[in-house]
Amino acid sequence: DIQMTQSPSSLSASVGDRVTITCRASQPISNYLNWYQQKPGKAPNLLINGASSLQSGVPSRFSGGGSGTDFTLTISSLQPEDFATYFCQQIYRTPYTFGQGTKLEF
Amino acid sequence: QVQLQESGPGLVKPSGTLSLTCTVSGGSIGSYYWNYIRQPPGKGLEWIGYIYYSGTTNYNPSLKSRVTISLDTPKNQVSLKLSSLTAADTAVYFCARRGVGPTGFDYWGQGTLVTVS
């Protein structure tokens, strides 16, 4: 299986901050990397497809980058509704696997 | 607007079989991969498997011997069966849609908690 490792596991930040979450794959996955946001009691919400393509309806303060094994999710200016848990996911090879999550807190 | 809705028992006995149905509304089954994912309380996400609209399936090897995913295209439903349950199978179960190529899971059901006890 392809292992996905996110860092950090948790992150304290404030409204207006710029934050970056990283995701590393245990082997190259081209751009087959997605990012999700999950709030308590809700299903994950797709933010970024194909490492860097913003999903329709997602605010432009979210951006993704990287290719191969190293990827980033950046939120340019945190808003109150962005405090949530973020997951990366590889869909390069089955079984599809997720990172362990990054909890973004005040 | 595409919507997915999971349904099924919330409590299942150990050694029993979990049966869930995901009903798709506002769109068709065609040309998509239909996935099941689960999340134990307070933990991360685990992909269970998918079925393509053509009927092709792909399962997580960690669950393969116990999982069946099937389609009922006329009813726009995707079903999951997971057998030989233990407490470790207690989780919120989600269904989700994915298109072709490097695309993510763009529509999800709200999830249903299944407790094995």
Side-chain angles (χ1 to χ4, degrees):
Chain A
D1 298 4
I2 298 175
Q3 306 302 318
M4 306 301 294
T5 304
Q6 285 181 237
S7 60
S9 295
S10 63
L11 178 58
S12 294
S14 300
V15 173
D17 285 353
R18 178 184 179 91
V19 299
T20 297
I21 299 167
T22 64
C23 180
R24 174 165 289 177
S26 60
Q27 58 187 270
I29 59 170
S30 184
N31 66 333
Y32 283 73
L33 189 285
N34 305 309
W35 288 98
Y36 299 86
Q37 176 194 69
Q38 188 179 31
K39 296 182 178 179
K42 300 293 187 182
N45 180 47
L46 179 63
L47 300 174
I48 302 286
N49 282 295
S52 60
S53 295
L54 196 65
Q55 177 68 2
S56 176
V58 174
S60 59
R61 63 181 179 273
F62 291 92
S63 63
S67 183
T69 59
D70 294 312
F71 302 87
T72 58
L73 172 70
T74 297
I75 310 172
S76 60
S77 178
L78 274 174
Q79 299 302 301
E81 60 269 28
D82 299 337
F83 291 91
T85 300
Y86 294 84
F87 294 95
C88 61
Q89 177 205 30
Q90 68 81 19
I91 52 167
Y92 182 75
R93 182 173 295 144
T94 59
Y96 302 147
T97 46
F98 294 85
Q100 81 279 15
T102 295
K103 188 173 184 179
L104 186 50
E105 304 172 295
F106 284 105
Chain B
Q1 174 76 343
V2 174
Q3 292 187 316
L4 282 64
Q5 175 84 42
E6 300 94 348
S7 58
L11 181 64
V12 189
K13 294 185 184 305
S15 77
T17 297
L18 174 163
S19 295
L20 296 178
T21 297
C22 175
T23 301
V24 181
S25 59
S28 73
I29 295 284
S31 301
Y32 293 101
Y33 294 89
W34 299 93
N35 296 261
Y36 274 94
I37 304 99
R38 69 181 183 178
Q39 186 172 36
K43 296 189 177 180
L45 298 158
E46 179 181 31
W47 176 75
I48 297 170
Y50 70 63
I51 187 165
Y52 192 45
Y53 80 105
S54 63
T56 300
T57 56
N58 192 312
Y59 301 133
N60 193 322
S62 68
L63 300 168
K64 188 173 184 177
S65 64
R66 301 193 289 133
V67 173
T68 302
I69 299 176
S70 59
L71 270 180
D72 186 335
T73 303
K75 292 185 177 179
N76 262 20
Q77 291 179 336
V78 186
S79 295
L80 169 71
K81 290 190 186 299
L82 182 65
S83 63
S84 303
L85 296 171
T86 70
D89 295 309
T90 294
V92 176
Y93 286 76
F94 298 98
C95 58
R97 186 187 87 166
R98 183 188 154 229
V100 178
T103 59
F105 295 178
D106 58 353
Y107 287 96
W108 294 66
Q110 84 285 358
T112 187
L113 175 63
V114 177
T115 301
V116 180
S117 178

